[in-house]
Amino acid sequence: APEWLDRGYSVLHVVGKGAFESVLPQLPTADAYKAVPFVYDGMSMLYGAADVVVSRASATSLQELAATARAAVIIPNSSLGDQLENATTFVDAGAATMVRDEQLGENPEILQRTVEELIDDTKKRSSLEASIAVFAKPQAASDVAELLLAAVKS
């Protein structure tokens, strides 16, 4: 949002490979705004540098957010039921804020307002970060390996 740039925010917008070329002419050209089609490596580093992340609610995205303990506004893809379920789980745990596609359609300013509230309210942001970190499972691979070994041995 251009208003975010006016407030001094830096924005990294991961647009998506399919839509990138078609939306590029509509995007801001300010130095503090960078649009990319997709991030293959280093997403956790980008999340870690952010004060607030706006993201879809895929399981992978939410786990990356949990691992980096970032405050998030999540927008579940309305055509993917698992994303709404994922988002609801995080919101119910106080680990994220949700804006639904339908809300954006009715009131596009809701996203800007929600992000700005989190930027301005460090206490709320800290609470979200602490709550989302609970979902991080840095030892998940070794936990699964132990379960598999136990199953093979029995």
Side-chain angles (χ1 to χ4, degrees), residues 37-85:
F38 190 76
V39 176
Y40 293 95
D41 293 314
M43 184 61 89
S44 61
M45 186 170 57
L46 296 173
Y47 282 165
D51 292 317
V52 174
V53 175
V54 177
S55 175
R56 288 294 191 181
S58 72
T60 301
S61 295
L62 293 175
Q63 283 304 308
E64 288 175 328
L65 288 166
T68 56
R70 295 310 336 129
V73 177
I74 48 181
I75 305 170
N77 185 322
S78 59
S79 63
L80 300 174
D82 64 314
Q83 287 205 7
L84 180 57
E85 189 175 326

Side-chain angles (χ1 to χ4, degrees), residues 12 20 34-35 41 43 47 51 69 91 95 106 108 117 125 133 136 138 145:
L12 174 65
F20 187 71
K34 175 146 176 75
D41 293 314
M43 184 61 89
Y47 282 165
D51 292 317
V91 169
E106 295 167 7
E117 286 171 4
R125 208 168 61 237

Side-chain angles (χ1 to χ4, degrees), residues 5-21:
L5 300 173
D6 292 341
R7 286 191 71 182
Y9 300 172
S10 293
V11 175
L12 174 65
H13 185 178
V14 182
V15 176
K17 292 184 283 188
F20 187 71
E21 293 300 324

